[in-house]
């Protein structure tokens, strides 16, 4: 399960001393609660509370930062105006990172405006020219379900072929464009590759200093921060060698 970034949520026996039930997820955010309750025969029931997003809210507009209209020169001057030597003189590595993160976030919100976008589940190759044949295909498909008349079926078959040709051509043109711009626009290349991935790599459960397994994202973030800051060298400032004059 860990090799596939899956987590088992049933940790109590459900029949005798054995765990027979599996509740597997790739993130712990979708499970709000799981309880092993009363028995039915020799098997105990499991009550699960799931957090499921309303599909009606997935099409609503959301606010994102509009980096194309950002004034980066003013942002550089704003970030450079702070006296970081005073701000971080008595702080450790984690506190220094949080101070820098807060300054960047505040400057970003102040100097970068937001724009409204409508999220979509369409793949990156799905363009306007492939939308019209798809709509016609869906209409013909519904018509062919309602009746078995030959004229409707004859219209449905060409629509299927047109959609397949359009999708194949659109995919090929998109991949040619992405490959040609791979060196000048690597972000577009990796975005297209990640969009084609079926499995999203996630951080597997980590073990903290006390030996407990942590699956929550916040807990894993703390463990990684502690580990990364532990590699810094703590200099002994009481014995600083004097340079020769």
């Amino acid at each position: 399960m860990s090799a596939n970034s899956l987590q088992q949520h049933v940790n109590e026996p459900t029949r005798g001393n054995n765990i027979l039930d599996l509740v597997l997820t790739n993130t712990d955010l979708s499970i709000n609660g799981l309880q092993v309750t009363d028995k039915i025969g020799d098997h105990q029931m499991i009550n699960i509370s799931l957090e499921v997003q309303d599909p009606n809210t997935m099409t609503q507009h959301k606010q994102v930062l509009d980096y194309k209209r950002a004034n980066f020169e003013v942002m550089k001057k704003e970030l450079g105006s702070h006296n970081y030597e005073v701000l971080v003189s008595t702080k450790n590595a984690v506190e220094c990172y949080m101070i820098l993160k807060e300054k960047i976030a505040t400057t970003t919100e102040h100097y970068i405006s937001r724009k409204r976008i409508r999220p979509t589940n369409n793949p990156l190759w799905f363009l306007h020219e492939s939308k019209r044949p798809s709509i016609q295909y869906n209409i013909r498909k519904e018509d062919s379900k309602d009746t078995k008349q030959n004229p409707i079926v004859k219209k449905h078959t060409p629509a299927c072929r047109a959609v397949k040709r359009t999708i194949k051509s659109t995919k090929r043109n998109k991949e040619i464009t992405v490959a040609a711009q791979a060196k000048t626009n690597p972000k577009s290349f990796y975005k297209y590759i990640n969009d084609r991935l079926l499995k999203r790599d996630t951080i597997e459960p980590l073990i903290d200093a006390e030996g407990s397994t942590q699956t929550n994202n916040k807990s894993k973030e703390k463990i990684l921060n502690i580990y990364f800051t532990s590699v810094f060298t703590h200099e002994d400032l009481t014995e600083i060698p004097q340079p020769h004059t």
Side-chain angles (χ1 to χ4, degrees):
M1 290 188 296
S2 60
N4 295 284
S5 300
L6 295 176
Q7 178 187 350
Q8 159 71 319
H9 294 273
V10 182
N11 300 318
E12 300 179 28
T14 55
R15 186 181 181 187
N17 296 325
N18 303 314
I19 300 177
L20 300 184
D21 299 85
L22 297 177
V23 178
L24 303 176
T25 62
N26 58 357
T27 175
D28 58 346
L29 299 179
S30 57
I31 301 292
N32 283 337
L34 187 148
Q35 294 180 342
V36 179
T37 59
D38 300 333
K39 289 184 177 181
I40 296 181
D42 61 348
H43 200 116
Q44 290 183 285
M45 295 186 298
I46 296 177
N47 290 335
I48 306 173
S49 177
L50 298 176
E51 180 180 347
V52 181
Q53 186 175 5
D54 186 359
N56 295 325
T57 62
M58 297 176 65
T59 58
Q60 294 181 354
H61 292 82
K62 63 178 182 180
Q63 300 283 340
V64 297
L65 295 173
D66 188 3
Y67 290 99
K68 291 184 178 180
R69 299 185 178 182
N71 193 340
F72 291 106
E73 294 298 327
V74 178
M75 292 178 61
K76 289 180 181 179
K77 293 180 180 180
E78 177 69 21
L79 291 172
S81 63
H82 303 292
N83 191 346
Y84 293 101
E85 293 184 0
V86 176
L87 292 175
V88 303
S89 59
T90 59
K91 308 295 183 181
N92 57 34
V94 176
E95 293 172 337
C96 293
Y97 166 75
M98 296 304 298
I99 291 174
L100 181 60
K101 180 180 178 181
E102 187 271 334
K103 295 295 182 184
I104 295 176
T106 304
T107 307
T108 300
E109 288 293 334
H110 186 72
Y111 290 102
I112 301 181
S113 60
R114 291 183 174 270
K115 62 180 180 180
R116 296 178 62 194
I117 63 171
R118 185 174 183 176
T120 177
N121 294 326
N122 294 332
L124 295 177
W125 55 262
F126 190 83
L127 304 176
H128 292 288
E129 56 265 23
S130 58
K131 188 174 183 180
R132 182 176 179 83
S134 300
I135 295 175
Q136 292 178 349
Y137 164 76
N138 292 330
I139 294 174
R140 303 303 183 195
K141 185 177 180 180
E142 294 299 324
D143 291 341
S144 64
K145 289 181 180 179
D146 296 337
T147 179
K148 297 298 183 180
Q149 298 178 4
N150 289 332
I152 300 298
V153 176
K154 290 181 179 180
K155 292 181 180 180
H156 173 66
T157 303
C160 292
R161 294 174 180 172
V163 169
K164 290 181 180 179
R165 286 195 302 268
T166 304
I167 290 176
K168 186 177 180 179
S169 175
T170 307
K171 281 185 177 180
R172 183 174 62 250
N173 294 336
K174 178 64 177 179
E175 290 175 354
I176 291 174
T177 303
V178 170
Q181 299 176 354
K183 292 185 177 180
T184 58
N185 189 7
K187 289 185 178 180
S188 177
F189 173 78
Y190 287 109
K191 182 179 180 181
Y192 185 78
I193 295 298
N194 292 330
D195 185 68
R196 299 293 301 273
L197 294 178
L198 298 178
K199 176 180 175 295
R200 305 294 182 182
D201 292 333
T202 58
I203 299 177
E204 297 184 4
L206 301 177
I207 300 177
D208 59 13
E210 299 177 355
S212 302
T213 302
Q214 301 295 337
T215 59
N216 184 270
N217 289 335
K218 289 292 184 181
S219 301
K220 290 190 286 188
E221 179 185 354
K222 292 181 180 179
I223 294 174
L224 292 175
N225 283 335
I226 293 174
Y227 174 77
F228 290 137
T229 55
S230 65
V231 302
F232 288 95
T233 302
H234 297 280
E235 300 288 348
D236 186 6
L237 301 179
T238 59
E239 297 181 1
I240 300 177
Q242 298 295 330
H244 296 286
T245 57

